[in-house]
């Protein structure tokens, strides 16, 4: 066991050394924000640093990543503004020179003349004119003319609205803010089209794919993509061998004839947790409703079956709330599970535990409702930019809530760590065979509390590469990293208490699985940052280590499946059937959603062409709900099963389980994946901007595929209804019971 702990500690320490090193490179080599942008021929200043930075704040205030995307990160209905800007700028300049030199359209020129004009465009756009002494960027007059046309175009979109982009009229009407927003969009396109100093690729490693300026995939992306695929096969082989070699070595347990937990006495603090499950069920229902509205905007743009809903709830708000509520209810489920299991692990109830649980409950309500109201006010431009940053909409996917609400949530997490951690410390001091299992659980609990603070590491005027770096620390390391370690250990603890696996084996497997997962997961954070203004090292390390992320929970699922087969003949195990089924579903979706569909977009060669397309939505839905959502639901059911004193009528749970899984499959197979494949083909053959263009997304074939999503959505929504119905009914029954252990 000591060797496993040494491996775990070594993996964590060395991985963070590498991740922090990349962070220093991000800070030092990020695209510069110039003090001034100057037109070469006239020496006139067209943009200042303040214009660009304030423009970023304006972009954040209107919803940021919930209104199209920047550098491929964001929503899918509106264009990627960077790619769209570059393409429109290039087309304008080519047409200008074709008319000036040959008095004809660019497309009508012969091959030689096209090549000559294209070469002029590439030299104009890709030559890095940033002067590190004066900190200025120089652009040509013709490029400024192209930029001026873009300014008119984008100002019209955000002020007059654009139905196909789901942008309502009056989204942004302030003339000064429109100018600043365009300054920011120009800077993102400049960084994506201008070569790094002394390099033959741009600050975003030639992303987006734009043939007009020879933005083509780099050699580094190709090389590391190939290596990542080889390493994936190698790691799967090694881990499968490890599993087959070691999974039989645990202690042989006598099959219990009776439920080992049948005499479990639950305490007052566990009853206090029950109200979380009611609120979580309501949040799940609200999230699904908002998801339906968000998807419908992709069909009608501004309306909901003819009603102009966007006046009150624009797409940017419904999508913000949809994604944010997913994080809220899933995280709340896991946190509630920690509070519920803490007295079971320690064997006693600590002082003031009920008070702390009630305090966190009301804090959760305040954070959810307050952040949602702030985001609505921010997007509707009722807040100034600084107030919006703290109380409104930060503009970054999965962490849209204002900084003030992040502070409150951080304080709540610290309190949660203390409340759960003191129970775990008490259990560790017993020094029994569960010690290793509880220690790794404590490590995950502390990490969950600490790593949320990574989302506070940037400021209001931090640059986009820096914000993205810390954003993925939060989204990937917090949610996909240490929450997943926490989940693995909790499942192992539950099954050890049920005598399905021995406590000693559960501890050994949990620490080993955490080491294996984090070996890929920590440095694998970088696979989100290939083309975000980061250095090429992010591509090399991200591609290499993200290949290792998939396996541990899948192997845990195989272990659960095996033990279910061993014990299904026992009558008592039937009472835990549906929690176990939800955990098995987690293993399935971990392999399909996080594994297959995750690796579909993880290699640099894939992400280069399909980042921000519906292929990303495939991964997001199957991994976020399929893994973390199913896991959260399984936790709720197992907690209720421990507490309930009545025999369950399982019809609602059975329907919920199968409808959720069938609906998720249908959603992907009938709609998301086919649309993603069409977009991917377009991106590869024509250029990224065409894959996000309204002409493609509103074509008859794609529109039909969007409507077909209703099949999966309806099935899935009915499953949600049955799950919430069961959860609320069972929770209310148990809440009314008066007999509670002390």
């Amino acid at each position: 066991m000591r060797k496993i702990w040494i491996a775990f500690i070594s993996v964590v320490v060395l991985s963070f050394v590498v991740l922090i090193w990349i962070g220093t490179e991000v800070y030092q080599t990020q695209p510069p924000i110039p003090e001034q942008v100057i037109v070469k021929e006239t020496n006139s200043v067209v943009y200042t640093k303040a214009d660009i930075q304030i423009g970023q704040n304006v972009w954040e205030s209107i919803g940021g990543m919930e209104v199209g995307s920047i550098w491929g990160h964001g929503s899918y209905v509106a264009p990627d503004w960077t790619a769209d800007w570059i393409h429109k700028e290039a087309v304008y300049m080519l047409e200008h020179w074709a008319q000036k030199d040959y008095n004809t359209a660019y497309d009508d020129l012969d091959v030689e003349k096209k090549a000559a004009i294209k070469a002029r465009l590439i030299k104009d756009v890709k030559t890095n004119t940033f002067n590190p002494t004066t900190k200025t960027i120089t652009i040509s007059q013709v490029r400024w003319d192209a930029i001026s046309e873009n300014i008119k175009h984008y100002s019209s979109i955000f002020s007059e609205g654009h139905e196909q982009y789901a942008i309502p009229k009056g989204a942004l009407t302030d003339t000064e803010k429109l100018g600043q927003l365009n300054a920011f969009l120009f800077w993102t396109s400049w960084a994506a089209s201008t070569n790094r100093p002394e390099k033959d690729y741009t600050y975003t490693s030639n992303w987006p794919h734009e043939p007009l300026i020879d933005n083509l995939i780099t050699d580094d992306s190709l090389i590391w993509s190939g290596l990542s695929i080889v390493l994936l096969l190698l790691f799967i082989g090694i881990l499968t061998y490890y599993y087959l070699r070691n999974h039989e070595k645990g202690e042989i347990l006598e099959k219990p004839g009776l439920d080992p937990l049948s005499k479990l006495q639950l305490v007052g603090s566990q009853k206090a947790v029950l109200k979380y499950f009611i609120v979580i069920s309501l949040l799940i229902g609200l999230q699904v409703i908002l998801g339906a509205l968000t998807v419908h905007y992709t069909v009608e743009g501004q309306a909901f079956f003819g009603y102009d809903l966007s006046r009150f709830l624009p797409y940017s708000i419904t999508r913000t709330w949809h994604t944010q509520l997913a994080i809220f209810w899933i995280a709340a489920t896991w946190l509630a599970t920690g509070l519920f299991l803490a007295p079971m692990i320690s064997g006693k109830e600590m002082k003031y535990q009920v008070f702390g649980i009630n305090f966190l409950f009301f804090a959760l309500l305040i954070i959810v409702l307050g952040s949602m109201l702030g985001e609505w006010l921010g997007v509707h431009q009722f807040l100034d930019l600084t107030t919006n940053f703290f109380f409104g909409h930060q503009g970054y996917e999965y962490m849209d809530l204002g900084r003030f609400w992040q502070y409150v949530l951080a304080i709540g997490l610290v309190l949660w760590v203390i409340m759960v951690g003191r129970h775990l410390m008490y259990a560790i001091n017993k020094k029994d065979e569960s010690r290793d299992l509880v220690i790794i659980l404590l490590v995950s609990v502390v990490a969950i509390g600490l790593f949320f603070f990574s989302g506070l590491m940037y400021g209001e005027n931090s640059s986009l590469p820096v914000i993205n770096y810390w954003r993925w620390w939060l989204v990937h390391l917090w949610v996909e990293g240490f929450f997943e370690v926490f989940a693995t250990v909790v499942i192992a603890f539950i099954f050890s208490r049920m005598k399905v696996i021995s406590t000693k084996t559960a501890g050994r497997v949990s620490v080993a699985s955490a080491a294996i997962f984090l070996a890929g997961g920590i440095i694998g954070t970088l696979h989100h940052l290939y083309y975000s203004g980061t250095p090429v090292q992010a591509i090399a390390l991200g591609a290499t280590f993200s290949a290792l992320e998939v396996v541990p929970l899948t192997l845990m699922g195989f272990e659960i499946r095996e033990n279910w087969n061993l014990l299904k003949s026992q009558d008592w195990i039937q009472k835990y059937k549906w929690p176990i089924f939800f955990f098995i579903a987690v293993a399935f979706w971990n392999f399909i959603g996080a594994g297959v569909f995750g690796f579909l977009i993880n290699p640099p060669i894939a992400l280069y062409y399909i980042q921000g397309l519906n292929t990303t939505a495939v991964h997001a839905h199957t991994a976020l709900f399929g893994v973390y959502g199913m896991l959260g639901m399984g936790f709720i059911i197992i907690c209720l099963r421990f507490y309930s004193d009545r025999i369950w009528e399982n019809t609602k749970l059975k329907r919920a389980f199968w409808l959720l899984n069938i609906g998720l499959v249908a959603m992907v197979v009938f709609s998301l994946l086919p649309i993603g494949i069409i977009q991917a083909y377009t991106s590869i053959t024509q250029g990224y901007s065409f894959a996000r263009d309204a002409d493609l997304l509103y074509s008859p074939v794609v529109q039909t595929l969007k409507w077909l999503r209703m099949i999966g959505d309806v099935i899935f929504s009915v499953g949600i209804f049955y799950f919430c119905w069961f959860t609320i009914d069972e929770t209310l029954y148990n809440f009314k019971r008066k007999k509670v252990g002390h």
Side-chain angles (χ1 to χ4, degrees):
M1 194 64 205
R2 183 183 179 187
K3 291 181 180 179
I4 297 176
W5 274 113
I6 291 173
F8 173 80
I9 294 170
S10 300
V11 162
V12 172
V13 172
L14 292 175
S15 296
F16 275 110
V17 167
V18 172
L19 191 59
I20 292 170
W21 169 63
I22 292 295
T24 63
E25 291 292 303
V26 170
Y27 275 86
Q28 294 171 7
T29 65
Q30 61 182 299
I33 300 178
E35 293 294 333
Q36 294 178 331
V37 178
I38 299 172
V39 178
K40 181 180 179 180
E41 288 82 352
T42 62
N43 210 36
S44 57
V45 177
V46 295
Y47 288 131
T48 65
K49 183 176 183 178
D51 292 331
I52 296 169
Q53 288 183 325
I54 295 173
Q56 181 175 322
N57 298 148
V58 172
W59 169 73
E60 293 163 354
S61 75
I62 62 174
M65 290 181 179
E66 310 297 352
V67 185
S69 58
I70 295 288
W71 294 346
H73 293 276
S75 60
Y76 317 120
V77 178
D80 181 273
W81 305 114
T82 303
D84 198 56
W85 182 291
I86 290 172
H87 184 74
K88 283 181 167 54
E89 189 179 281
V91 168
Y92 179 93
M93 294 171 72
L94 290 172
E95 288 296 334
H96 171 83
W97 283 322
Q99 290 291 344
K100 180 181 177 182
D101 295 350
Y102 304 107
N103 198 32
T104 189
Y106 175 76
D107 287 340
D108 294 334
L109 296 176
D110 59 39
V111 174
E112 291 80 5
K113 291 175 181 177
K114 279 185 177 180
I117 293 180
K118 181 180 175 182
R120 192 190 310 178
L121 170 68
I122 292 170
K123 181 179 180 180
D124 189 299
V125 171
K126 289 217 163 190
T127 300
N128 194 329
T129 59
F130 177 74
N131 187 321
T133 302
T134 61
K135 299 187 183 304
T136 60
I137 291 173
T138 304
I139 60 173
S140 64
Q141 180 63 49
V142 66
R143 189 173 187 183
W144 172 242
D145 292 341
I147 291 168
S148 299
E149 287 300 309
N150 278 0
I151 291 172
K152 296 176 185 176
H153 174 72
Y154 293 112
S155 296
S156 174
I157 286 175
F158 289 103
S159 61
E160 298 300 322
H162 195 296
E163 182 174 351
Q164 292 181 323
Y165 296 167
I167 298 175
K169 184 176 182 179
L172 187 66
T173 56
D174 185 287
T175 304
E176 184 178 9
K177 285 184 176 180
L178 284 168
Q180 292 161 337
L181 172 62
N182 278 285
F184 172 66
L185 297 181
F186 158 75
W187 177 80
T188 68
S189 69
W190 176 85
S193 58
T194 298
N195 285 342
R196 285 181 178 270
E198 301 179 5
K199 302 292 183 182
D200 61 352
Y201 54 83
T202 70
Y203 286 99
T204 57
S205 292
N206 281 1
W207 192 93
H209 177 220
E210 178 50 73
L212 291 180
I213 63 169
D214 276 2
N215 252 17
L216 307 174
I217 192 166
T218 63
D219 293 340
D220 291 298
S221 293
L222 292 172
I223 291 168
W224 291 108
S225 294
L227 183 60
S228 72
I229 294 170
V230 173
L231 289 175
L232 173 67
L233 298 174
L234 175 64
F235 290 145
I236 288 176
I238 291 172
L239 287 171
T240 303
Y241 170 76
Y242 174 85
Y243 172 77
L244 293 173
R245 186 173 183 271
N246 291 279
H247 86 288
E248 298 286 358
K249 292 186 177 181
E251 295 86 343
I252 299 175
L253 297 179
E254 182 180 350
K255 299 179 183 179
L258 298 174
D259 183 0
L261 301 176
S262 61
K263 296 182 179 180
L264 193 65
Q265 292 293 313
L266 301 183
V267 296
S269 63
Q270 291 169 314
K271 185 173 183 178
V273 173
L274 290 176
K275 56 181 168 287
Y276 282 76
F277 299 152
I278 295 176
V279 170
I280 288 167
S281 297
L282 296 176
L283 293 180
I284 293 172
L286 180 58
Q287 191 224 348
V288 170
I289 293 170
L290 290 166
L293 294 177
T294 302
V295 171
H296 195 79
Y297 277 134
T298 69
V299 178
E300 284 197 74
Q302 302 288 2
F304 185 74
F305 294 105
Y307 178 73
D308 186 11
L309 187 65
S310 64
R311 289 184 300 167
F312 310 103
L313 290 177
Y315 172 87
S316 58
I317 283 295
T318 63
R319 190 177 190 274
T320 296
W321 289 351
H322 175 65
T323 56
Q324 182 172 287
L325 284 175
I327 298 297
F328 275 149
W329 79 255
I330 292 172
T333 301
W334 295 16
L335 298 178
T337 300
L339 294 169
F340 188 90
L341 295 179
M344 187 188 302
I345 297 170
S346 65
K348 68 174 293 185
E349 183 176 37
M350 299 292 182
K351 195 175 182 180
Y352 302 120
Q353 190 77 356
V354 173
F355 172 80
I357 289 171
N358 291 334
F359 179 84
L360 286 178
F361 176 77
F362 289 109
L364 172 66
L365 293 180
I366 291 170
I367 292 168
V368 171
L369 298 176
S371 63
M372 290 175 70
L373 175 61
E375 286 153 354
W376 188 90
L377 292 172
V379 166
H380 283 87
Q381 300 298 298
F382 289 116
L383 308 176
D384 64 61
L385 296 179
T386 298
T387 305
N388 176 73
F389 176 77
F390 283 98
F391 295 96
H393 201 304
Q394 280 199 61
Y396 298 98
E397 200 172 28
Y398 297 113
M399 46 183 290
D400 304 275
L401 68 167
R403 179 56 55 88
F404 171 79
W405 308 111
Q406 284 184 299
Y407 288 144
V408 177
L409 185 52
I411 294 169
L413 282 170
V414 171
L415 178 59
W416 176 79
V417 170
I418 293 171
M419 292 171 62
V420 176
R422 60 182 181 164
H423 285 82
L424 300 181
M425 288 298 298
Y426 184 87
I428 290 170
N429 289 332
K430 293 180 180 179
K431 298 183 179 179
D432 58 20
E433 64 177 3
S434 67
R435 192 166 185 263
D436 289 312
L437 184 61
V438 179
I439 288 174
I440 189 64
L441 182 57
L442 178 63
V443 169
S444 66
V445 165
V446 173
I448 287 170
L450 289 179
F451 278 93
F452 182 79
F453 284 84
S454 61
L456 307 177
M457 296 298 290
Y458 66 88
E460 182 181 359
N461 293 314
S462 294
S463 67
L464 201 56
V466 168
I467 293 173
N468 269 327
Y469 174 74
W470 290 114
R471 181 171 78 94
W472 287 112
W473 268 61
L474 179 62
V475 177
H476 184 90
L477 279 178
W478 188 61
V479 177
E480 298 180 38
F482 289 101
F483 258 123
E484 191 151 349
V485 173
F486 172 80
T488 303
V489 180
V490 167
I491 291 174
F493 170 79
I494 289 171
F495 281 90
S496 69
R497 285 299 179 94
M498 293 170 61
K499 307 298 183 184
V500 173
I501 54 176
S502 75
T503 303
K504 185 176 180 180
T505 299
R508 176 174 57 81
V509 171
S510 294
V511 179
S513 295
I516 293 169
F517 176 77
L518 294 177
I522 295 174
I523 301 177
T525 304
L526 298 172
H527 77 252
H528 299 283
L529 300 172
Y530 295 152
Y531 307 115
S532 297
T534 46
V536 72
Q537 294 95 313
I539 295 177
L541 292 167
T544 302
F545 283 87
S546 65
L548 186 57
E549 290 183 64
V550 180
V551 183
L553 266 184
T554 303
L555 296 184
M556 178 64 77
F558 294 156
E559 189 76 36
I560 294 168
R561 177 74 253 185
E562 182 177 81
N563 285 290
W564 169 255
N565 287 332
L566 290 173
L567 293 174
K568 64 183 179 182
S569 60
Q570 301 291 336
D571 291 338
W572 69 266
I573 198 72
Q574 295 299 320
K575 72 185 282 190
Y576 298 105
K577 174 181 177 179
W578 291 108
I580 294 174
F581 268 38
F582 272 89
F583 294 149
I584 293 172
V586 169
F588 172 80
W589 288 112
N590 195 59
F591 174 69
I592 297 296
V596 176
F597 292 138
F599 202 76
L600 173 68
I601 64 175
N602 272 5
I605 190 174
L607 200 66
Y608 179 80
Y609 292 107
I610 64 179
Q611 178 170 250
L613 306 184
N614 273 269
T615 45
T616 305
V618 169
H619 169 58
H621 284 79
T622 54
L624 184 58
F625 181 83
V627 178
Y628 303 108
M630 286 286 188
L631 190 56
M633 289 177 166
F635 283 156
I636 290 176
I637 299 170
I638 199 76
C639 290
L640 288 173
R641 183 64 277 175
F642 287 153
Y643 190 83
S644 183
D645 66 348
R646 65 176 177 176
I647 298 173
W648 283 356
E649 200 288 304
N650 288 320
T651 302
K652 289 193 284 289
L653 271 182
K654 180 180 180 180
R655 290 175 179 172
F657 177 81
W658 289 114
L659 289 172
L660 288 172
N661 283 281
I662 293 170
L664 193 54
V665 169
M667 191 187 305
V668 170
V669 172
F670 294 149
S671 183
L672 290 176
L673 187 57
I675 294 173
I677 292 172
I678 292 171
Q679 287 184 293
Y681 178 80
T682 305
S683 175
I684 293 168
T685 56
Q686 299 182 51
Y688 186 84
S689 63
F690 291 95
R692 293 284 299 273
D693 192 82
D695 288 343
L696 176 68
L697 293 178
Y698 284 85
S699 64
V701 172
V702 174
Q703 282 290 82
T704 300
L705 290 170
K706 289 178 184 177
W707 280 109
L708 284 176
R709 179 169 168 173
M710 286 185 65
I711 299 171
D713 286 356
V714 169
I715 296 171
F716 183 86
S717 299
V718 175
I720 289 291
F721 169 76
Y722 275 112
F723 178 84
C724 294
W725 182 11
F726 171 85
T727 301
I728 293 173
D729 178 63
E730 186 64 26
T731 302
L732 290 174
Y733 166 78
N734 287 291
F735 198 77
K736 294 174 183 177
R737 289 172 56 211
K738 296 182 179 179
K739 185 179 179 181
V740 180
H742 296 284

